[in-house]
Amino acid sequence: MEKICPNGFIEVDRSFFITVPDNADAVMMNAARDLEDYFFTSMKISLKLITESEAKDVEKKISYSTDSSIKEYSYRFAVKENEIILCGCNSRMAAQAGYFLEDLMNLEEGPFVEPTDTVRTSLFNPRMVHSGYGLDMYPT
């Protein structure tokens, strides 16, 4: 049974493209490919991954980007009618914005997302885990 898009939500369909900056690093490219695979595998929608320079005439897109003015360990997540913005303080946080998009669609059980514009920050910073041997001592 196919789910119907809830009122007020945006439905991601085949007319959307996933865009990355022309100079996207490996982290961002992997995140974008992961999102492309997520749509194909989980939502049965085939979206094309393109660079920003290829996306000049694209009307609907999911855009990965970075913005150094965003607070550390944070990302901007914005959903508009024709664009979903996944913008992090760096590529790792932009990837986190993409994972958040996947989580929201999993909760809705379909390619539906509610319009919003928010900045989200990690509750904790990455931590280092030590072995039981002692400080900076690791088994060989």
Side-chain angles (χ1 to χ4, degrees):
M1 184 164 103
E2 195 163 319
K3 287 208 54 150
I4 297 172
C5 184
N7 286 338
F9 279 62
I10 306 299
E11 181 173 3
V12 178
D13 57 21
R14 286 178 169 74
S15 63
F16 275 79
F17 287 79
I18 300 171
T19 68
V20 294
D22 293 327
N23 62 346
D25 63 9
V27 172
M28 189 175 289
M29 287 303 299
N30 286 336
R33 286 186 189 113
D34 176 73
L35 187 63
E36 180 183 36
D37 182 61
Y38 169 82
F39 275 105
F40 185 77
T41 304
S42 299
M43 298 295 158
K44 308 295 187 243
I45 301 171
S46 181
L47 301 183
K48 187 174 181 183
L49 174 59
I50 59 176
T51 62
E52 283 181 358
S53 61
E54 298 172 309
K56 290 179 180 161
D57 298 326
V58 170
E59 288 184 29
K60 295 183 176 185
K61 60 187 175 178
I62 300 170
S63 304
Y64 278 93
S65 62
T66 58
D67 182 352
S68 59
S69 69
I70 295 176
K71 186 174 130 184
E72 190 174 22
Y73 300 113
S74 301
Y75 59 84
R76 177 175 174 230
F77 180 79
V79 179
K80 304 173 186 175
E81 187 173 341
N82 293 324
E83 184 175 21
I84 298 173
I85 299 168
L86 310 171
C87 183
C89 63
N90 56 38
S91 356
R92 293 186 189 285
M93 291 312 295
Q96 290 298 317
Y99 306 145
F100 180 65
L101 174 62
E102 292 177 13
D103 288 344
L104 291 176
M105 289 188 291
N106 284 338
L107 289 171
E108 290 299 325
E109 298 178 354
F112 318 121
V113 64
E114 195 170 17
T116 187
D117 191 344
T118 185
V119 174
R120 297 176 50 90
T121 303
S122 294
L123 293 177
F124 59 91
N125 299 338
R127 298 179 183 151
M128 180 182 241
V129 178
H130 292 281
S131 68
Y133 292 106
L135 184 61
D136 295 331
M137 294 174 59
Y138 301 95
T140 55

